[in-house]
Amino acid sequence: MSDPLHARPHERKVVLSLAGITKRFGAMTANEAVDLDLHAGEIVALLGENGAGKTTLMNILFGHYVADEGEVRIAGPEGQLVPLEPGSPHAALNAGIGMVHQHFALAENLTAFENIVLGTRPLLSPSTSSRADRQRLEALMRDSGLTVDLDLRVSRLSVGEQQRVEILKALYRDARVLVLDEPTAVLTPQESEGLFATLRQLAGKGLAIVFISHKLAEVLSASDRVAVLRMGRKVADLPTAECDRQKLAELMVGHSLSHSRREPRAPGDVLLAFEGVSAGTGREAVRDLSLTLRSGEILGVAGVSGNGQAMFARLVSGLERATTGRILLAGRDVTAQDARAMIAAGIARIPEDRHRDGIVGAMSVAENLVIEEIRSERYQRFGFLDFSAIAARAREAIDAHDIRCRGGSAISRLLSGGNIQKIVLARTLDAEPMVVLAAQPSRGLDIGATGEVHRRLLAARARGAGVILISEDLDELFALSDRIAVIHRGQLSVARDADELDRATVGLMMAGHAEEAA
Amino acid sequence: MIRFEPRETVSPFLRVGVPVAAALAALALAALPIMAAGAPVLQAYALMAKGAFGSFFAVSELLSRATPLILTGLAAALAFRARLWNIGGEGQLYAGALAAVAVGSGAISAPPAVMIPLVLLAGAMAGAMMMLVPALLKLRLGADEVVTTLLLNFVVLLFVQMMLEGPMKDPMGMGWPQSEPMADAAMLPKLFDRMRVHAGLIVALVTALLAHILLARTVWGFEIRAVGENQDAARHAGIPVTATFVRVALFSGALAGLAGVGEVAGLKGYLTADLSPGFGYAGIVVAMLAGLSPLGVVVAALFIAGVFVGADSMSRAIGVSNYLADLVVATSLIAVLVSGLFVRFRVRLVGPGRRASAGKDIVA
């Protein structure tokens, strides 16, 4: 290889080689002349920002896409590299490439066992649980340390267990190469550690493993080698031992980064209070929530996705009514208010799913910037829209926040996630609200856009607003929060000073071990 | 192999060109049954065009046929913009006609300046009420409005038949199931002597312009578009989603009701149970051909009316059944629905045996 950083000679054999892969979508180049070799028994992290081309590259490897140039070669029986048929997931599977997608491809109404053996046997096979298959799979579970209850339906397994089923599925098909797309996105810190321990064990048995990530901490702790993609090109390929956070971050974004810092600040009056609030039913319910949010503080809410954060955010947003308890905003009861009243009362809401709840994709940037205030005197007269005021507001917001688009009339759906989030931030924060609810505000954003989100939340705190930050990212929570509470199965722990907490404690509380750990 | 790739932007040329192509495709496909009927295809089309545009009388017929189609087309277009699937235009049209007769056939007597607005208002309100019920069922109970509005069509038509056989039957009607005639003062004036085109056309055109202004330039229109494009985001941004649905439902029903008023008070002069040859349903085709644009509805309604009027005329001349018109209308709906795929996606042909290294045929 020509890459100078890739100096250390590998004693282990190459099982898979990507050679000069280029893939274009229209005018955009997703991958450009990417080379990557995988060796047996090694764990490679594929690091890059959103849109850097990580997933495209892996989809080419797995045959979902056909590369415009270059080819995928896989080691044959004698170790020689032979080209893999492009565009055929079937050929990739037969060659021993297993892929665990970010969104699992499991049949929820079948058992774990059925999911694993599905497709490995003829369609008209008379039974779904032959003894030989079962024994082979159990041996595999013992060897790999991946245990799941094979007879439970997948819908009843936890997310971590479903991921284990996906990995077992690949191993059961004799995978030599295992690809995992953002495997820790849905796991607790402890589950992530368990996953990487398992991967290490699998690599020890000679499996080649690639995982896609944009989290620096896990890349540094879990990989042997890091390949960094930036704007479709491989910009670095080096042993993990030679890296540190700063270096990887700079390789990823292409320039050095400045960190936003939380200045010490004495919290002020109570702005928002939840008093024993319950709402919803089933998995998404919240029970007996109590919290106080003060002026000039960021209150972090940690938790694994699906533990009631969505319902909590909907309550603060005025989209859901509490069945019991009270919500007080600066001492005033706002329990039964709707979304418009919450906006008018001075609560800025940054929704978790910005594509679904944040913007109307088919409407323009300008329209999305004014949608919350469309009935205010500023943008309408007697029910008729004031187009010049709307256009002026769009120009102002686009300039002030560097929203990259072809002007206010551009259709919002076509913008990148970071720019869509800038629209939401401009719309909600420019009016200087007293309370800010930010639900997973940096999810899926690259480092630059994440920095912008953090800067704006800290600016809101600095001018005396109270900010609720719901996040699954402990780095983000510890960097920004004055106090942190953990939500688990719909219940919120008492918020404690972030300085008194550490990642391990919060991680345990996220997994439900509240009292023992605290 | 054929691949579909989403388009980033849709050019105005495509936006207009695709429905035109769909209409032409429908006419081309209709050549097959014309041939099967043993008639010369070109002559049949020439006769259709002549029947629709060939004389002042033909144009008057075309415009009088287009009048209800504009209104039912607007009813569908407005509702569909909010993703409220009003399939009940036909029933709302009859409800409007029934109300117009109830008010205009002698119950009140006043000069035309009072009677005409009164009749229009009564029909619009009756149509709106017909749409209020499905809207509330949808919002309160989650009942699918496609089903409720569609089934209400039959309920309303049967109700009209009952009224025409019973309380509203014209005693002077020689036993025919028809209503008493409208009072002269309640009739919409004709636009030209001895021509059937009436002032309802003016009402329809002004309504189309108002609907355009409503959608494009008002807060209500902004809210309708937001709710239609992304209900979740609209609700999150504090837009009153329920109120918007109710508002759209009332507008939509009222427009279809006005179509019924026009037919009774502009054309027939009394109500029968065969007042509409499916204008409510054809309005859906009009709206789809128009891409749900209120001004486009006017053009699409003229096209569909031209097909109907032209087919009638051709049928008289060379004996091909005028069911051909229904066929063209139905085919053009299918064609416009299929063409929606081409507006949203670009089609690529990918050679089956293409090797990865030979990728020179990059997307245009």
Side-chain angles (χ1 to χ4, degrees), chain A residues 159-173:
Chain A
V159 177
E161 289 169 323
Q162 293 186 14
Q163 191 176 54
R164 291 207 280 276
V165 173
E166 280 280 17
I167 297 173
L168 280 168
K169 219 165 95 180
L171 298 180
Y172 188 76
R173 286 161 176 72

Side-chain angles (χ1 to χ4, degrees), chain A residues 350-362:
Chain A
I350 299 164
E352 172 180 343
D353 186 337
R354 67 186 75 94
H355 290 275
R356 193 191 68 197
D357 296 324
I359 62 153
V360 181

Side-chain angles (χ1 to χ4, degrees), chain A residues 430-452:
Chain A
D430 283 0
E432 308 213 328
M434 60 196 280
V435 172
V436 179
L437 168 75
Q440 320 284 4
S442 62
R443 178 188 277 177
L445 298 184
D446 60 33
I447 292 185
T450 300
E452 171 70 9

Side-chain angles (χ1 to χ4, degrees), chain A residues 139-147 168 171 198 201-202 205:
Chain A
L140 196 60
M141 293 206 309
R142 273 194 306 279
D143 289 351
S144 63
L146 290 159
T147 48
L168 280 168
L171 298 180
T198 308
Q201 199 180 339
L202 293 172
K205 293 180 194 301

